[in-house]
Amino acid sequence: MISPVLLSELTLPEHHPRAGEACVVFGFVIHHSDGPILVDSGVGTGRPDIDEGYLPIHHPIDKALADVGVHLADVTMVINSHLHFDHCGNNHLFPGIPLVVQRAEYDLTHEPDYTIPEWIHFPGAEWTLVEGATEVMPGVKVFPTPGHTPGHQSVIVSGFEDVQVIAGQAVYDSGELTSEVSIEALSRVEAQMTSLSARAIKAANPNSVFFSHDANIWEAPGT
């Protein structure tokens, strides 16, 4: 079972393609038999540039997890779809447990202005770098879905004849998933990669798909 947890709400700044829009930021709890897995950890605190630029409303992650029956100490693994500031900001609350990301994504964290370095490189950070589709726990597989970032990954959760996909930001919302219409603000290469990633998500034949920035859950016809 997957539980979406609302972690933050942002107002997108002028330089953003969706300037002025409200943007929800979800994490996801995979209720696994070997212990809860968290996918993405939301926006961190203590950065005036983010506070001024995005006007974040924080929903404390400990309370958000408690609302779905999970304590911070219960989490056995964190999977990051990618490492932009709004997806990894609370990773530091999980020292000593695996933080799973594509190697191609992790390598980008050394580029200027890609992310918040201290939210990636913190005491106790235990990064597990994967390359390509990888089963990280029984029934839980990450797979590359580049486009939004070159190293973006999504997550397939399989069990009991049910397949669920956490798309992250491989596509922004259910409309992008189903129409494959490229967003004008995207570069041609990014739009092409996003379209391919949408196809990869659908090729998994999911019963449902979850999105980082859309509260709507896509459901397969007849589900």
Side-chain angles (χ1 to χ4, degrees), residues 18-84:
R18 298 172 181 267
E21 291 186 15
C23 175
V24 291
V25 180
F26 282 94
F28 304 91
V29 174
I30 302 170
H31 299 274
H32 195 276
S33 59
D34 291 338
I37 301 169
L38 176 65
V39 180
D40 288 344
S41 64
V43 181
T45 58
R47 289 287 303 207
D49 52 345
I50 291 174
D51 293 343
E52 294 169 10
Y54 290 85
L55 307 176
I57 299 171
H58 298 285
H59 298 269
I61 190 169
D62 55 346
K63 183 179 185 307
L65 292 178
D67 287 345
V68 297
V70 174
H71 298 290
L72 285 177
D74 297 335
V75 175
T76 58
M77 174 181 289
V78 175
I79 298 171
N80 287 118
S81 61
H82 62 299
L83 296 174
H84 282 171

Side-chain angles (χ1 to χ4, degrees), residues 9 12 25 30 58 70 75 118 131 151-152 197 212 216-217:
E9 298 171 67
L12 298 175
V25 180
I30 302 170
H58 298 285
V70 174
V75 175
E118 60 266 31
E131 299 184 57
H152 191 286
S197 291
S212 294
N216 295 308
I217 301 170

Side-chain angles (χ1 to χ4, degrees), residues 9-25 53-55 85-86 169 172 213:
E9 298 171 67
L10 306 176
T11 300
L12 298 175
E14 292 182 1
H15 61 79
H16 195 280
R18 298 172 181 267
E21 291 186 15
C23 175
V24 291
V25 180
Y54 290 85
L55 307 176
F85 77 90
D86 50 332
Q169 203 172 337
Y172 196 82
H213 300 306

Side-chain angles (χ1 to χ4, degrees), residues 43-196:
V43 181
T45 58
R47 289 287 303 207
D49 52 345
I50 291 174
D51 293 343
E52 294 169 10
Y54 290 85
L55 307 176
I57 299 171
H58 298 285
H59 298 269
I61 190 169
D62 55 346
K63 183 179 185 307
L65 292 178
D67 287 345
V68 297
V70 174
H71 298 290
L72 285 177
D74 297 335
V75 175
T76 58
M77 174 181 289
V78 175
I79 298 171
N80 287 118
S81 61
H82 62 299
L83 296 174
H84 282 171
F85 77 90
D86 50 332
H87 296 261
C88 66
N90 289 302
N91 278 16
H92 66 95
L93 297 175
F94 304 96
I97 69 169
L99 307 171
V100 180
V101 74
Q102 293 288 321
R103 181 178 295 276
E105 182 69 17
Y106 184 83
D107 288 346
L108 291 169
T109 65
H110 302 290
E111 299 294 326
D113 301 321
Y114 187 77
T115 189
I116 310 300
E118 60 266 31
W119 293 356
I120 306 298
H121 311 291
F122 56 87
E126 295 285 348
W127 287 101
T128 297
L129 306 182
V130 299
E131 299 184 57
T134 305
E135 186 173 61
V136 295
M137 276 194 179
V140 179
K141 182 171 74 173
V142 298
F143 65 106
T145 48
H148 178 62
T149 72
H152 191 286
Q153 65 182 0
S154 299
V155 185
I156 298 175
V157 182
S158 306
F160 304 105
E161 300 183 356
D162 185 59
V163 177
Q164 297 177 298
V165 171
I166 300 171
Q169 203 172 337
V171 292
Y172 196 82
D173 55 27
S174 55
E176 258 188 66
L177 177 66
T178 55
S179 69
E180 296 187 18
V181 173
S182 299
I183 297 174
E184 291 181 1
L186 298 179
S187 69
R188 181 181 177 187
V189 171
E190 185 178 344
Q192 288 174 336
M193 294 303 294
T194 296
S195 179
L196 289 172

